[in-house]
Structure formats: structure tokens, C-alpha cells
Amino acid sequence: MHKNVKEILYTQDEIAFKCKELGKRIMNDYHDKDLILIGLLKGSVPFLAELSKYISLDVTFDYMDVSSYEGTQSRTVTIKKDIEQDVTGKDILLVEDILDTGKTLSTVKAMLEERGAASVEIVTMLDKKECRQFPIEAKYVGYEIPNAFVVGFGLDFNEKYRNLPYVGILKEECYQ
Ligand code: 5GP
């Protein structure tokens, strides 16, 4: 275990097992649809890679990079990299590492709906449900977790720890 990790919440094997379960549900729901998996950079990459192994459908992939800034009055979401395809009439599954306040995903979801997507749903590896400030829910949730700062399996602190093969709680002294 990394010296800055206090506790491992989910191991690589547990995450793979969960992805298999989610993949089955997604295949069942989208077998007759034209599905695009949109990963939100950078955190969703390991989860998207694992999950998509268990979605045996002709899906396409795209990526979006958005940043969410805390201003004095409100939080604003800026697109740093947009997707590359026309989503009109397409069914979209947004793939995210963690759903927290819901600001990022509610903004992105509304944007894609405005562009004419047939449906926009969310699959998230982790969900901090108790932290939600915007009315948005994921259709597929890997694990519901309490309000702790987690890293690993794509999740970072100052761009580090994304490569850890597990999800763990970062020691408080690392960010205080
Ligand atoms: P939201 O817009 O839902 O508040 O924020 C979602 C984003 O906040 C995630 O994509 C992630 O970048 C970041 N985030 C929220 N909670 C955590 C956490 O516990 N650990 C890490 N590493 N990032 C988090």
C-alpha cells in the first residue's frame, strides 16, 4: 500500500468484479441502441478501460475534459476538450470516476441533451451521495461511499495517485 494511503476501500479485484456486474446491466439495457461511451478526462480512464471490457456491443468512445472552478459567487464548468462526434440521435453513457456535488455532470449532461442526444445517462465508479448539491443521479453506480477524499484507480490529488490499482482514502496530513 502507498505510504500516503490510510485505508484501501476497494481492491483491483473488487473493482473488476463490479465492472463485470455493471457491464452486464449496460449490455442488457443498450443491446439495441447506438451507444457512445464518453469518458471524462483524466480520472475516468482506468474505470472506462476496465468497464468497457465487459460491454460486448459495438460501442464507440469519446472523451471530454472539463474543469470545475470554485469562484467567489458560484462554480463554473469550462470545457477544455470537447468530444469529436455529432451526438444527434445517439444514446450516451457518461463515464465518471466519482460523483460528488453533481455540478460537473449536471452541466455536461444538459449540454449534450441540448445538442440533440437521444439519451444521456451516467455510470460512475464511486458516488458520494451525501455531498450532492445538484439534482442529478447516476443510472449505474459502482460503490456508494461516505464523504472522504479518495485517490487511486484514476482519482488524483495534485495529479498524483491516479496509477494506484485500488481506491483508497488519502491520509489527511497530505492535504491539510
Ligand atoms: P462534482 O462536480 O460532482 O462536485 O465533482 C466531481 C469531480 O470532483 C470528480 O471528477 C473529481 O475530479 C473531483 N472529486 C470529488 N471528490 C473527490 C475525491 O474524493 N477524490 C478525488 N481525487 N477527486 C474528487
Side-chain angles (χ1 to χ4, degrees), residues 18-61:
K18 183 59 78 175
C19 284
K20 213 180 266 187
E21 212 178 87
L22 292 173
K24 255 189 219 160
R25 285 178 53 202
I26 292 167
M27 275 179 63
N28 199 40
D29 294 349
Y30 288 92
H31 65 276
D32 54 350
K33 301 258 166 61
D34 204 0
L35 179 62
I36 309 177
L37 296 173
I38 299 183
L40 296 193
L41 296 173
K42 305 170 191 165
S44 72
V45 171
F47 177 54
L48 175 55
E50 187 63 33
L51 176 69
S52 60
K53 286 188 209 168
Y54 306 107
I55 305 176
S56 309
L57 301 172
D58 284 335
V59 297
T60 57
F61 288 68

